[in-house]
mmCIF file of all heavy atoms in Angstrom:
data_model
loop_
_atom_site.group_PDB
_atom_site.id
_atom_site.type_symbol
_atom_site.label_atom_id
_atom_site.label_comp_id
_atom_site.label_asym_id
_atom_site.label_seq_id
_atom_site.Cartn_x
_atom_site.Cartn_y
_atom_site.Cartn_z
ATOM 1 N N LYS A 1354 -1.968 -3.450 16.572
ATOM 2 C CA LYS A 1354 -0.617 -3.930 16.871
ATOM 3 C C LYS A 1354 0.068 -4.352 15.577
ATOM 4 O O LYS A 1354 -0.577 -4.792 14.631
ATOM 5 C CB LYS A 1354 -0.653 -5.117 17.834
ATOM 6 C CG LYS A 1354 -1.207 -4.818 19.212
ATOM 7 C CD LYS A 1354 -1.205 -6.083 20.054
ATOM 8 C CE LYS A 1354 -1.750 -5.834 21.447
ATOM 9 N NZ LYS A 1354 -1.780 -7.070 22.266
ATOM 10 N N GLY A 1355 1.399 -4.265 15.562
ATOM 11 C CA GLY A 1355 2.171 -4.725 14.420
ATOM 12 C C GLY A 1355 3.654 -4.619 14.703
ATOM 13 O O GLY A 1355 4.070 -3.998 15.691
ATOM 14 N N GLN A 1356 4.444 -5.241 13.828
ATOM 15 C CA GLN A 1356 5.900 -5.140 13.927
ATOM 16 C C GLN A 1356 6.407 -4.316 12.755
ATOM 17 O O GLN A 1356 6.178 -4.660 11.586
ATOM 18 C CB GLN A 1356 6.568 -6.525 13.898
ATOM 19 C CG GLN A 1356 6.364 -7.333 15.170
ATOM 20 C CD GLN A 1356 4.993 -7.975 15.225
ATOM 21 O OE1 GLN A 1356 4.551 -8.575 14.243
ATOM 22 N NE2 GLN A 1356 4.318 -7.847 16.349
ATOM 23 N N LEU A 1357 7.073 -3.199 13.070
ATOM 24 C CA LEU A 1357 7.664 -2.333 12.067
ATOM 25 C C LEU A 1357 9.169 -2.507 12.118
ATOM 26 O O LEU A 1357 9.821 -2.118 13.086
ATOM 27 C CB LEU A 1357 7.278 -0.876 12.334
ATOM 28 C CG LEU A 1357 7.876 0.174 11.400
ATOM 29 C CD1 LEU A 1357 7.419 -0.060 9.969
ATOM 30 C CD2 LEU A 1357 7.498 1.575 11.870
ATOM 31 N N GLU A 1358 9.715 -3.174 11.066
ATOM 32 C CA GLU A 1358 11.148 -3.489 11.020
ATOM 33 C C GLU A 1358 11.600 -4.177 12.308
ATOM 34 O O GLU A 1358 12.557 -3.762 12.960
ATOM 35 C CB GLU A 1358 11.955 -2.211 10.760
ATOM 36 C CG GLU A 1358 11.669 -1.589 9.401
ATOM 37 C CD GLU A 1358 12.437 -0.304 9.164
ATOM 38 O OE1 GLU A 1358 12.918 0.288 10.169
ATOM 39 O OE2 GLU A 1358 12.550 0.110 8.012
ATOM 40 N N THR A 1359 10.856 -5.211 12.697
ATOM 41 C CA THR A 1359 11.085 -6.083 13.869
ATOM 42 C C THR A 1359 10.789 -5.394 15.197
ATOM 43 O O THR A 1359 10.913 -6.015 16.251
ATOM 44 C CB THR A 1359 12.534 -6.629 13.909
ATOM 45 O OG1 THR A 1359 13.451 -5.593 14.256
ATOM 46 C CG2 THR A 1359 12.914 -7.264 12.574
ATOM 47 N N GLN A 1360 10.396 -4.131 15.186
ATOM 48 C CA GLN A 1360 10.066 -3.426 16.423
ATOM 49 C C GLN A 1360 8.548 -3.443 16.636
ATOM 50 O O GLN A 1360 7.781 -3.122 15.735
ATOM 51 C CB GLN A 1360 10.557 -1.977 16.364
ATOM 52 C CG GLN A 1360 12.060 -1.831 16.227
ATOM 53 C CD GLN A 1360 12.799 -2.369 17.440
ATOM 54 O OE1 GLN A 1360 12.414 -2.095 18.586
ATOM 55 N NE2 GLN A 1360 13.849 -3.139 17.196
ATOM 56 N N ASN A 1361 8.124 -3.849 17.833
ATOM 57 C CA ASN A 1361 6.703 -3.892 18.140
ATOM 58 C C ASN A 1361 6.124 -2.485 18.216
ATOM 59 O O ASN A 1361 6.727 -1.587 18.806
ATOM 60 C CB ASN A 1361 6.464 -4.611 19.470
ATOM 61 C CG ASN A 1361 6.758 -6.101 19.388
ATOM 62 O OD1 ASN A 1361 6.621 -6.700 18.325
ATOM 63 N ND2 ASN A 1361 7.163 -6.687 20.502
ATOM 64 N N GLN A 1362 4.965 -2.300 17.609
ATOM 65 C CA GLN A 1362 4.265 -1.019 17.634
ATOM 66 C C GLN A 1362 2.823 -1.266 18.096
ATOM 67 O O GLN A 1362 2.235 -2.295 17.777
ATOM 68 C CB GLN A 1362 4.243 -0.379 16.240
ATOM 69 C CG GLN A 1362 5.610 -0.161 15.621
ATOM 70 C CD GLN A 1362 6.359 0.991 16.260
ATOM 71 O OE1 GLN A 1362 5.742 1.889 16.835
ATOM 72 N NE2 GLN A 1362 7.684 0.979 16.158
ATOM 73 N N ARG A 1363 2.289 -0.312 18.835
ATOM 74 C CA ARG A 1363 0.920 -0.439 19.341
ATOM 75 C C ARG A 1363 0.251 0.931 19.344
ATOM 76 O O ARG A 1363 0.886 1.937 19.666
ATOM 77 C CB ARG A 1363 0.918 -1.016 20.760
ATOM 78 C CG ARG A 1363 -0.467 -1.049 21.399
ATOM 79 C CD ARG A 1363 -0.436 -1.738 22.736
ATOM 80 N NE ARG A 1363 -1.697 -1.582 23.446
ATOM 81 C CZ ARG A 1363 -1.999 -2.222 24.569
ATOM 82 N NH1 ARG A 1363 -1.139 -3.056 25.108
ATOM 83 N NH2 ARG A 1363 -3.162 -2.024 25.152
ATOM 84 N N LEU A 1364 -1.022 0.935 18.973
ATOM 85 C CA LEU A 1364 -1.782 2.176 18.919
ATOM 86 C C LEU A 1364 -3.169 1.945 19.500
ATOM 87 O O LEU A 1364 -3.831 0.961 19.155
ATOM 88 C CB LEU A 1364 -1.911 2.661 17.472
ATOM 89 C CG LEU A 1364 -2.677 3.955 17.241
ATOM 90 C CD1 LEU A 1364 -1.899 5.135 17.812
ATOM 91 C CD2 LEU A 1364 -2.923 4.172 15.749
ATOM 92 N N ASP A 1365 -3.609 2.832 20.399
ATOM 93 C CA ASP A 1365 -4.936 2.737 21.013
ATOM 94 C C ASP A 1365 -5.724 3.996 20.693
ATOM 95 O O ASP A 1365 -5.185 5.107 20.729
ATOM 96 C CB ASP A 1365 -4.830 2.578 22.533
ATOM 97 C CG ASP A 1365 -4.120 1.303 22.934
ATOM 98 O OD1 ASP A 1365 -4.697 0.226 22.733
ATOM 99 O OD2 ASP A 1365 -2.988 1.393 23.438
ATOM 100 N N ARG A 1366 -7.011 3.809 20.402
ATOM 101 C CA ARG A 1366 -7.906 4.935 20.189
ATOM 102 C C ARG A 1366 -9.268 4.611 20.804
ATOM 103 O O ARG A 1366 -9.733 3.468 20.737
ATOM 104 C CB ARG A 1366 -8.094 5.224 18.693
ATOM 105 C CG ARG A 1366 -6.900 5.813 17.996
ATOM 106 C CD ARG A 1366 -6.687 7.267 18.378
ATOM 107 N NE ARG A 1366 -5.605 7.859 17.600
ATOM 108 C CZ ARG A 1366 -4.333 7.841 17.948
ATOM 109 N NH1 ARG A 1366 -3.964 7.250 19.073
ATOM 110 N NH2 ARG A 1366 -3.426 8.421 17.186
ATOM 111 N N SER A 1367 -9.930 5.627 21.366
ATOM 112 C CA SER A 1367 -11.293 5.458 21.861
ATOM 113 C C SER A 1367 -11.971 6.820 21.842
ATOM 114 O O SER A 1367 -11.324 7.857 22.011
ATOM 115 C CB SER A 1367 -11.314 4.866 23.277
ATOM 116 O OG SER A 1367 -10.663 5.722 24.197
ATOM 117 N N GLY A 1368 -13.280 6.806 21.605
ATOM 118 C CA GLY A 1368 -14.027 8.055 21.590
ATOM 119 C C GLY A 1368 -15.315 7.930 20.802
ATOM 120 O O GLY A 1368 -15.646 6.869 20.257
ATOM 121 N N LEU A 1369 -16.044 9.027 20.725
ATOM 122 C CA LEU A 1369 -17.303 9.061 20.002
ATOM 123 C C LEU A 1369 -17.046 9.027 18.504
ATOM 124 O O LEU A 1369 -16.183 9.740 17.985
ATOM 125 C CB LEU A 1369 -18.085 10.325 20.366
ATOM 126 C CG LEU A 1369 -18.571 10.429 21.812
ATOM 127 C CD1 LEU A 1369 -19.197 11.798 22.055
ATOM 128 C CD2 LEU A 1369 -19.585 9.325 22.108
ATOM 129 N N GLY A 1370 -17.818 8.201 17.801
ATOM 130 C CA GLY A 1370 -17.721 8.129 16.355
ATOM 131 C C GLY A 1370 -18.710 9.059 15.680
ATOM 132 O O GLY A 1370 -19.478 9.772 16.330
ATOM 133 N N ASP A 1371 -18.687 9.052 14.352
ATOM 134 C CA ASP A 1371 -19.599 9.886 13.576
ATOM 135 C C ASP A 1371 -21.025 9.354 13.666
ATOM 136 O O ASP A 1371 -21.267 8.156 13.501
ATOM 137 C CB ASP A 1371 -19.167 9.922 12.110
ATOM 138 C CG ASP A 1371 -17.828 10.616 11.919
ATOM 139 O OD1 ASP A 1371 -17.517 11.522 12.724
ATOM 140 O OD2 ASP A 1371 -17.104 10.256 10.969
ATOM 141 N N VAL A 1372 -21.964 10.241 13.913
ATOM 142 C CA VAL A 1372 -23.379 9.880 13.975
ATOM 143 C C VAL A 1372 -23.847 9.423 12.596
ATOM 144 O O VAL A 1372 -23.411 9.935 11.566
ATOM 145 C CB VAL A 1372 -24.208 11.093 14.455
ATOM 146 C CG1 VAL A 1372 -25.696 10.866 14.233
ATOM 147 C CG2 VAL A 1372 -23.918 11.373 15.920
ATOM 148 N N ARG A 1373 -24.779 8.434 12.589
ATOM 149 C CA ARG A 1373 -25.395 7.964 11.342
ATOM 150 C C ARG A 1373 -26.876 8.308 11.348
ATOM 151 O O ARG A 1373 -27.571 8.063 12.337
ATOM 152 C CB ARG A 1373 -25.229 6.454 11.183
ATOM 153 C CG ARG A 1373 -23.815 6.011 10.869
ATOM 154 C CD ARG A 1373 -23.786 4.550 10.447
ATOM 155 N NE ARG A 1373 -22.481 4.183 9.973
ATOM 156 C CZ ARG A 1373 -22.234 3.258 9.053
ATOM 157 N NH1 ARG A 1373 -23.256 2.614 8.507
ATOM 158 N NH2 ARG A 1373 -21.015 2.975 8.667
#
Side-chain angles (χ1 to χ4, degrees):
K1354 296 179 180 179
Q1356 288 79 47
L1357 177 62
E1358 296 178 342
T1359 72
Q1360 298 296 315
N1361 291 331
Q1362 303 286 336
R1363 174 175 171 171
L1364 180 68
D1365 297 290
R1366 289 287 185 271
S1367 62
L1369 294 174
D1371 294 330
V1372 167
R1373 288 192 172 210

